[in-house]
Amino acid sequence: MLANFFSKSKPVNFILIIVLFLIYYVLDNFIYRPVTINLEVLVSIPLFLGIFFLYIFIITKNRLTKDDSYAFLLFVVGLGCLPQLNVAYIVLVKYIMLFLFLRRIYSLRTLKSVYEKLFDSGLWLGVLFLISPEHVLYLFLLFAAVLLFVKITFRTIVIPILGFLTPIFLFFTYHFYVETLADFYQIFDIKYTLDFNIYNASFYVISLATFGLITFISIVLRSGRIFSVSNRFKRSWSLLLLHLLVAFSSLFLIEVKDGTELIAILIPSTILIANWIQSVERKIIVNVVLLLFLVISFAVHFIA
């Protein structure tokens, strides 16, 4: 039933998935851990909708999955597995900027307006770096996209670097003018940490183990077939795999973890899983996998 319904990409599918997100949101803010309704709680809903729009846009525009709703469903279910959806608006703004960056690098596959896309991707990443310095690792993803889709030349190397440095230079100029350079230099104080104790809780163990296992299965079962075919999608698949690695590696640069950092991993993970699910011919397997994710997304909130 779930497989047949979400195997299509129709407006009603997306509406129901949005409703599912609102259910998660209401349960999180009023049942699991009630919070006081304030402006930040209300503002977060349209910001989440903006994130959903960009997520769907990147997938459909760059043909990262077939014409179905699996990826979007899994992304929303993944959000439902987070410890809380009462996320600070600055965190959501950060993810919107990350999606704007990803939109540009994945669109390099079309080879249209390449230099403009390279500058824009560097620019968005530079702004993102000023907010969350751990995203500097996404420079590897940017140049990997250049290597996979375009060609390594002087221009394709320099242009994204100029885009990346532009907001940083403007930020430096501001702090130089107001004589607060110490605040500017603090951005570059990135610390490497191995403190992952927050993920030892049963809540995280179950959620991460489920997504991690299914993601691993998806990579193993799909990679061989994708790389054996000579088409452009195998380059996108390679970029998705590197995207997952970069998102995971960025966790080592986050000193204080609160669960929201896992959204970055959900982005490539859910796309990879969706690619496997849409290739499974036995619908009963798809139904079981989707039902498993749905059950866990609600059940983990009652686990200490």
Side-chain angles (χ1 to χ4, degrees), residues 12 20 111 129 147 158 161 163 165 179 227 245 264 269 278:
V12 65
L20 175 63
L111 298 179
F129 170 75
L147 179 62
V158 171
I161 292 177
L165 293 178
E179 299 181 349
F227 287 131
L245 179 61
S269 175
Q278 67 192 18

Side-chain angles (χ1 to χ4, degrees), residues 13 20 33 38 58 66-67 77 86 134 151 176 193 195 215 222-223 230 238 249 252 256-257 259 270 281 287 294 298:
N13 297 49
L20 175 63
R33 49 186 66 78
N38 52 38
I58 291 172
K66 292 181 180 179
D67 189 22
V77 170
N86 184 22
E134 68 272 8
K151 186 180 180 181
F176 180 80
T193 177
D195 184 10
T215 301
R222 288 296 294 157
S223 293
S230 180
S238 298
S249 299
F252 291 90
V256 180
K257 302 173 179 64
T270 51
E281 296 181 359
N287 285 324
L294 284 169
F298 289 102

Side-chain angles (χ1 to χ4, degrees), residues 229-242:
V229 179
S230 180
N231 59 21
R232 190 175 296 179
F233 181 70
K234 67 179 180 181
R235 298 181 183 179
S236 297
W237 185 258
S238 298
L239 193 62
L240 280 168
L241 294 177
L242 183 60

Side-chain angles (χ1 to χ4, degrees), residues 133-154:
E134 68 272 8
H135 285 89
V136 68
L137 291 180
Y138 281 81
L139 277 171
F140 290 105
L141 192 64
L142 195 164
F143 289 114
V146 174
L147 179 62
L148 289 167
F149 297 129
V150 192
K151 186 180 180 181
I152 297 293
T153 65
F154 179 77

